[in-house]
Amino acid sequence: MGPVLINGIPAHVLFVHFVVVVVPLTALVLMLCAALPSVMRRFGLALPILALVALVSVPLTTHAGEWLERHVDSSALVRRHTELGDELLPWTIGLFLMSVLVWWSYRRTAGQAPDGEGSSRTAAPVRITAVALSLVIAVGACVQVYRIGDSGAKAAWHDGYSASGHPDRG
């Protein structure tokens, strides 16, 4: 599905940095675009493209992570990290679908001038719903990225360092 080693280094270790940046960035941009038409106007098609990049990066990272899992000592911390990692894909699917919906909704209404009170009455509930859904999905995705990263750090660094420092290294 994708590379598992890059220049001799497990690809998961490199890919994860991309996911940690692009998923929260997509979440932030989605919330801004859903809430502020002026921001959506500036981003345009870049919003769903960014969300697609985030979406594609997750399976690549988890695939490389599954390879790495088979090449490290198994522990409860590694298993927990793997379980949490598998839970990010639904959130990034949600980010992508919501990004497409926000972009499509903006495109559909951008060319229409408000023709009286009726159109603004229907636009407000749609925007409020889009903002609320975007907020839930964005926060959920960011929390999941944090949980995965925290568990990965614990799995990688558990008993791997000394808090008081090495006595012979000052």
Side-chain angles (χ1 to χ4, degrees), residues 44-62:
L45 193 56
L47 171 63
I49 290 171
L50 179 63
L52 180 61
V53 169
L55 176 59
V56 169
S57 71
V58 170
L60 285 173
T61 304
T62 54

PDB file of all heavy atoms in Angstrom, residues 44-62:
ATOM      1  N   GLY A  44     -11.595  28.138  -1.152  1.00  0.00           N
ATOM      2  CA  GLY A  44     -12.184  27.481  -2.307  1.00  0.00           C
ATOM      3  C   GLY A  44     -11.920  25.990  -2.316  1.00  0.00           C
ATOM      4  O   GLY A  44     -12.084  25.297  -1.311  1.00  0.00           O
ATOM      5  N   LEU A  45     -11.469  25.495  -3.455  1.00  0.00           N
ATOM      6  CA  LEU A  45     -11.246  24.068  -3.653  1.00  0.00           C
ATOM      7  C   LEU A  45     -10.085  23.539  -2.799  1.00  0.00           C
ATOM      8  O   LEU A  45      -9.958  22.329  -2.599  1.00  0.00           O
ATOM      9  CB  LEU A  45     -10.984  23.797  -5.138  1.00  0.00           C
ATOM     10  CG  LEU A  45     -11.028  22.360  -5.601  1.00  0.00           C
ATOM     11  CD1 LEU A  45     -12.352  21.704  -5.250  1.00  0.00           C
ATOM     12  CD2 LEU A  45     -10.776  22.283  -7.094  1.00  0.00           C
ATOM     13  N   ALA A  46      -9.270  24.416  -2.273  1.00  0.00           N
ATOM     14  CA  ALA A  46      -8.152  23.986  -1.422  1.00  0.00           C
ATOM     15  C   ALA A  46      -8.645  23.258  -0.164  1.00  0.00           C
ATOM     16  O   ALA A  46      -7.947  22.375   0.340  1.00  0.00           O
ATOM     17  CB  ALA A  46      -7.278  25.169  -1.038  1.00  0.00           C
ATOM     18  N   LEU A  47      -9.825  23.610   0.329  1.00  0.00           N
ATOM     19  CA  LEU A  47     -10.355  22.953   1.533  1.00  0.00           C
ATOM     20  C   LEU A  47     -10.566  21.461   1.302  1.00  0.00           C
ATOM     21  O   LEU A  47      -9.997  20.640   2.033  1.00  0.00           O
ATOM     22  CB  LEU A  47     -11.644  23.630   2.014  1.00  0.00           C
ATOM     23  CG  LEU A  47     -12.393  22.897   3.138  1.00  0.00           C
ATOM     24  CD1 LEU A  47     -11.542  22.820   4.400  1.00  0.00           C
ATOM     25  CD2 LEU A  47     -13.722  23.565   3.407  1.00  0.00           C
ATOM     26  N   PRO A  48     -11.357  21.042   0.310  1.00  0.00           N
ATOM     27  CA  PRO A  48     -11.514  19.598   0.134  1.00  0.00           C
ATOM     28  C   PRO A  48     -10.227  18.898  -0.311  1.00  0.00           C
ATOM     29  O   PRO A  48     -10.012  17.732   0.025  1.00  0.00           O
ATOM     30  CB  PRO A  48     -12.614  19.462  -0.922  1.00  0.00           C
ATOM     31  CG  PRO A  48     -12.830  20.800  -1.492  1.00  0.00           C
ATOM     32  CD  PRO A  48     -12.259  21.801  -0.555  1.00  0.00           C
ATOM     33  N   ILE A  49      -9.340  19.606  -1.004  1.00  0.00           N
ATOM     34  CA  ILE A  49      -8.064  18.993  -1.394  1.00  0.00           C
ATOM     35  C   ILE A  49      -7.213  18.734  -0.147  1.00  0.00           C
ATOM     36  O   ILE A  49      -6.618  17.657  -0.002  1.00  0.00           O
ATOM     37  CB  ILE A  49      -7.322  19.866  -2.425  1.00  0.00           C
ATOM     38  CG1 ILE A  49      -8.062  19.823  -3.761  1.00  0.00           C
ATOM     39  CG2 ILE A  49      -5.880  19.414  -2.586  1.00  0.00           C
ATOM     40  CD1 ILE A  49      -7.550  20.809  -4.795  1.00  0.00           C
ATOM     41  N   LEU A  50      -7.153  19.703   0.761  1.00  0.00           N
ATOM     42  CA  LEU A  50      -6.422  19.519   2.016  1.00  0.00           C
ATOM     43  C   LEU A  50      -7.014  18.355   2.805  1.00  0.00           C
ATOM     44  O   LEU A  50      -6.271  17.521   3.354  1.00  0.00           O
ATOM     45  CB  LEU A  50      -6.466  20.807   2.839  1.00  0.00           C
ATOM     46  CG  LEU A  50      -5.776  20.775   4.200  1.00  0.00           C
ATOM     47  CD1 LEU A  50      -4.274  20.525   4.046  1.00  0.00           C
ATOM     48  CD2 LEU A  50      -6.033  22.082   4.941  1.00  0.00           C
ATOM     49  N   ALA A  51      -8.333  18.274   2.851  1.00  0.00           N
ATOM     50  CA  ALA A  51      -8.990  17.181   3.577  1.00  0.00           C
ATOM     51  C   ALA A  51      -8.702  15.834   2.916  1.00  0.00           C
ATOM     52  O   ALA A  51      -8.549  14.823   3.607  1.00  0.00           O
ATOM     53  CB  ALA A  51     -10.495  17.437   3.645  1.00  0.00           C
ATOM     54  N   LEU A  52      -8.606  15.813   1.596  1.00  0.00           N
ATOM     55  CA  LEU A  52      -8.274  14.570   0.888  1.00  0.00           C
ATOM     56  C   LEU A  52      -6.838  14.142   1.213  1.00  0.00           C
ATOM     57  O   LEU A  52      -6.565  12.958   1.425  1.00  0.00           O
ATOM     58  CB  LEU A  52      -8.458  14.745  -0.616  1.00  0.00           C
ATOM     59  CG  LEU A  52      -8.151  13.512  -1.471  1.00  0.00           C
ATOM     60  CD1 LEU A  52      -9.077  12.351  -1.111  1.00  0.00           C
ATOM     61  CD2 LEU A  52      -8.277  13.864  -2.952  1.00  0.00           C
ATOM     62  N   VAL A  53      -5.936  15.090   1.272  1.00  0.00           N
ATOM     63  CA  VAL A  53      -4.546  14.789   1.636  1.00  0.00           C
ATOM     64  C   VAL A  53      -4.498  14.204   3.048  1.00  0.00           C
ATOM     65  O   VAL A  53      -3.795  13.213   3.305  1.00  0.00           O
ATOM     66  CB  VAL A  53      -3.658  16.050   1.509  1.00  0.00           C
ATOM     67  CG1 VAL A  53      -2.291  15.833   2.136  1.00  0.00           C
ATOM     68  CG2 VAL A  53      -3.521  16.450   0.038  1.00  0.00           C
ATOM     69  N   ALA A  54      -5.242  14.793   3.967  1.00  0.00           N
ATOM     70  CA  ALA A  54      -5.301  14.268   5.336  1.00  0.00           C
ATOM     71  C   ALA A  54      -5.864  12.854   5.337  1.00  0.00           C
ATOM     72  O   ALA A  54      -5.333  11.961   6.018  1.00  0.00           O
ATOM     73  CB  ALA A  54      -6.145  15.182   6.219  1.00  0.00           C
ATOM     74  N   LEU A  55      -6.923  12.655   4.575  1.00  0.00           N
ATOM     75  CA  LEU A  55      -7.559  11.347   4.503  1.00  0.00           C
ATOM     76  C   LEU A  55      -6.608  10.286   3.963  1.00  0.00           C
ATOM     77  O   LEU A  55      -6.490   9.201   4.525  1.00  0.00           O
ATOM     78  CB  LEU A  55      -8.822  11.423   3.635  1.00  0.00           C
ATOM     79  CG  LEU A  55      -9.568  10.120   3.373  1.00  0.00           C
ATOM     80  CD1 LEU A  55     -10.015   9.482   4.672  1.00  0.00           C
ATOM     81  CD2 LEU A  55     -10.753  10.376   2.456  1.00  0.00           C
ATOM     82  N   VAL A  56      -5.899  10.580   2.900  1.00  0.00           N
ATOM     83  CA  VAL A  56      -4.982   9.612   2.291  1.00  0.00           C
ATOM     84  C   VAL A  56      -3.787   9.339   3.204  1.00  0.00           C
ATOM     85  O   VAL A  56      -3.273   8.214   3.249  1.00  0.00           O
ATOM     86  CB  VAL A  56      -4.524  10.120   0.904  1.00  0.00           C
ATOM     87  CG1 VAL A  56      -3.389   9.290   0.356  1.00  0.00           C
ATOM     88  CG2 VAL A  56      -5.702  10.127  -0.069  1.00  0.00           C
ATOM     89  N   SER A  57      -3.344  10.347   3.948  1.00  0.00           N
ATOM     90  CA  SER A  57      -2.168  10.167   4.804  1.00  0.00           C
ATOM     91  C   SER A  57      -2.414   9.189   5.950  1.00  0.00           C
ATOM     92  O   SER A  57      -1.469   8.539   6.412  1.00  0.00           O
ATOM     93  CB  SER A  57      -1.698  11.516   5.348  1.00  0.00           C
ATOM     94  OG  SER A  57      -2.599  12.024   6.299  1.00  0.00           O
ATOM     95  N   VAL A  58      -3.648   9.065   6.386  1.00  0.00           N
ATOM     96  CA  VAL A  58      -3.930   8.199   7.537  1.00  0.00           C
ATOM     97  C   VAL A  58      -3.728   6.722   7.206  1.00  0.00           C
ATOM     98  O   VAL A  58      -3.009   6.017   7.926  1.00  0.00           O
ATOM     99  CB  VAL A  58      -5.328   8.498   8.124  1.00  0.00           C
ATOM    100  CG1 VAL A  58      -5.740   7.451   9.148  1.00  0.00           C
ATOM    101  CG2 VAL A  58      -5.328   9.884   8.752  1.00  0.00           C
ATOM    102  N   PRO A  59      -4.320   6.179   6.131  1.00  0.00           N
ATOM    103  CA  PRO A  59      -4.057   4.760   5.835  1.00  0.00           C
ATOM    104  C   PRO A  59      -2.581   4.478   5.508  1.00  0.00           C
ATOM    105  O   PRO A  59      -2.075   3.407   5.842  1.00  0.00           O
ATOM    106  CB  PRO A  59      -4.939   4.453   4.630  1.00  0.00           C
ATOM    107  CG  PRO A  59      -5.906   5.557   4.515  1.00  0.00           C
ATOM    108  CD  PRO A  59      -5.338   6.725   5.249  1.00  0.00           C
ATOM    109  N   LEU A  60      -1.906   5.426   4.865  1.00  0.00           N
ATOM    110  CA  LEU A  60      -0.478   5.231   4.601  1.00  0.00           C
ATOM    111  C   LEU A  60       0.295   5.105   5.913  1.00  0.00           C
ATOM    112  O   LEU A  60       1.173   4.249   6.057  1.00  0.00           O
ATOM    113  CB  LEU A  60       0.080   6.394   3.790  1.00  0.00           C
ATOM    114  CG  LEU A  60      -0.276   6.435   2.317  1.00  0.00           C
ATOM    115  CD1 LEU A  60       0.216   7.735   1.688  1.00  0.00           C
ATOM    116  CD2 LEU A  60       0.284   5.244   1.585  1.00  0.00           C
ATOM    117  N   THR A  61      -0.042   5.955   6.866  1.00  0.00           N
ATOM    118  CA  THR A  61       0.647   5.945   8.158  1.00  0.00           C
ATOM    119  C   THR A  61       0.299   4.701   8.960  1.00  0.00           C
ATOM    120  O   THR A  61       1.181   4.085   9.567  1.00  0.00           O
ATOM    121  CB  THR A  61       0.301   7.222   8.947  1.00  0.00           C
ATOM    122  OG1 THR A  61       0.627   8.355   8.135  1.00  0.00           O
ATOM    123  CG2 THR A  61       1.057   7.301  10.252  1.00  0.00           C
ATOM    124  N   THR A  62      -0.968   4.310   8.965  1.00  0.00           N
ATOM    125  CA  THR A  62      -1.353   3.118   9.725  1.00  0.00           C
ATOM    126  C   THR A  62      -0.780   1.854   9.087  1.00  0.00           C
ATOM    127  O   THR A  62      -0.389   0.927   9.798  1.00  0.00           O
ATOM    128  CB  THR A  62      -2.882   2.996   9.891  1.00  0.00           C
ATOM    129  OG1 THR A  62      -3.506   3.045   8.623  1.00  0.00           O
ATOM    130  CG2 THR A  62      -3.425   4.090  10.777  1.00  0.00           C
TER     131      THR A  62
END
